[in-house]
Amino acid sequence: MLNLNWIEKLKIECIDEEDGTMTIHIEWDENDPDLDYWTSLGPEGQEEFILTALRNACAAYTDTEAFDSDVD
């Protein structure tokens, strides 16, 4: 199984913009060898990684919510 402990080293901030949108700002140490994979993804790969993680988290939350409401 892939070890994703390196994600904890990313500083992730969600910023609410004045126009009602949100920006995700991520900082990391580009010289940290634990973050080589993240750095090697480049901006487009990093964006896709984050969006995929968010989609998966939302799907899991939605599936859990649907399951929980069926139990009542």
Side-chain angles (χ1 to χ4, degrees):
M1 178 176 224
L2 181 62
N3 182 343
L4 297 176
N5 290 339
W6 57 267
I7 292 174
E8 295 175 5
K9 291 187 169 188
L10 300 176
K11 180 183 175 196
I12 302 172
E13 179 181 13
C14 295
I15 303 166
D16 290 321
E17 302 292 349
E18 290 182 17
D19 64 359
T21 61
M22 181 184 297
T23 299
I24 299 173
H25 180 80
I26 303 171
E27 293 181 12
W28 70 98
D29 179 356
E30 293 183 22
N31 297 315
D32 186 331
D34 291 339
L35 298 174
D36 283 346
Y37 173 72
W38 175 256
T39 301
S40 73
L41 289 175
E44 290 177 6
Q46 293 164 354
E47 179 179 343
E48 184 59 32
F49 184 96
I50 293 296
L51 292 175
T52 298
L54 287 170
R55 284 186 202 104
N56 290 341
C58 289
Y61 177 78
T62 302
D63 290 346
T64 302
E65 286 295 306
F67 176 76
D68 288 346
S69 64
D70 289 343
V71 174
D72 291 340

